[in-house]
Amino acid sequence: MQIHTGGVYGDKPAAIERFITTYRALPGIIRNRLVIENDERQYALADNLDIHRETGIPLLFDTFHHSIFNNGEELAEAFALFMPTWDGHGVPMMDYSSQHGEKQAGAHTKSIDMADFGAVMAQLGDREVDIMLEIKDKERSALKALEWAKGRA
């Protein structure tokens, strides 16, 4: 189950503590399936890393959200930080999208931007990761991404 960490409610440290307390009270069957994702407004990668250190929750990393809201980590550094949170949980997972050119900041693009995708993949390097496309025309964009990957294999 992939969720955003939640609201801040005027006091992020207190909200983080409430999240941790609530997480610990969840049944194990839920805790074992839950991952948290950074968002574009309130919980950057660094915030979720703090939660991970207390709970062991794996972090699903959203590259697009990170491009909007971060603590100065370059993308390659962010990959190196989030991926170890998956140790013992399987292949690390990340979301990929990019900005819609005609909409407000944070609006997902309709179709994959291959130049941006290529730049993100260059930063990823040879790290193994499960990439989910958060793009409106998912199937068409997935085929473009697969074709791109075949050309580099």
Side-chain angles (χ1 to χ4, degrees):
M1 292 180 290
Q2 170 186 344
I3 63 169
H4 287 278
T5 310
V8 172
Y9 311 107
D11 185 349
K12 188 183 282 186
I16 288 172
E17 284 304 316
R18 282 191 305 276
F19 183 94
I20 291 168
T21 299
T22 301
Y23 170 80
R24 288 180 174 151
L26 293 172
I29 195 166
I30 295 173
R31 284 193 318 269
N32 292 338
R33 304 292 286 169
L34 187 68
V35 300
I36 55 175
E37 174 188 346
N38 55 304
D39 65 52
E40 73 277 16
R41 291 188 194 107
Q42 298 175 350
Y43 286 88
L45 172 62
D47 299 314
N48 284 348
L49 283 167
D50 289 342
I51 294 168
H52 165 77
R53 285 183 201 99
E54 292 293 321
T55 63
I57 300 171
L59 306 184
L60 186 139
F61 180 67
D62 189 304
T63 61
F64 180 43
H65 293 163
H66 183 76
S67 72
I68 297 168
F69 182 54
N70 61 69
N71 288 357
E73 308 93 348
E74 296 293 329
L75 197 51
E77 178 186 1
F79 290 144
L81 290 168
F82 103 88
M83 293 184 85
T85 71
W86 284 86
D87 290 350
H89 297 282
V91 177
M93 297 171 62
M94 73 178 218
D95 285 349
Y96 169 80
S97 187
S98 57
Q99 177 64 44
H100 189 294
E102 300 169 355
K103 293 190 177 180
Q104 69 194 33
H108 294 266
T109 188
K110 180 182 177 192
S111 187
I112 193 167
D113 176 335
M114 292 311 298
D116 182 66
F117 183 75
V120 169
M121 294 301 101
Q123 293 297 309
L124 183 62
D126 62 357
R127 295 175 180 102
E128 184 179 358
V129 65
D130 182 354
I131 302 169
M132 294 178 285
L133 301 179
E134 281 194 308
I135 298 174
K136 304 300 181 195
D137 70 351
K138 294 175 187 339
E139 292 173 15
R140 186 171 298 157
S141 288
L143 292 172
K144 288 179 185 178
L146 286 172
E147 191 63 33
W148 178 92
K150 286 179 189 175
R152 275 135 188 90

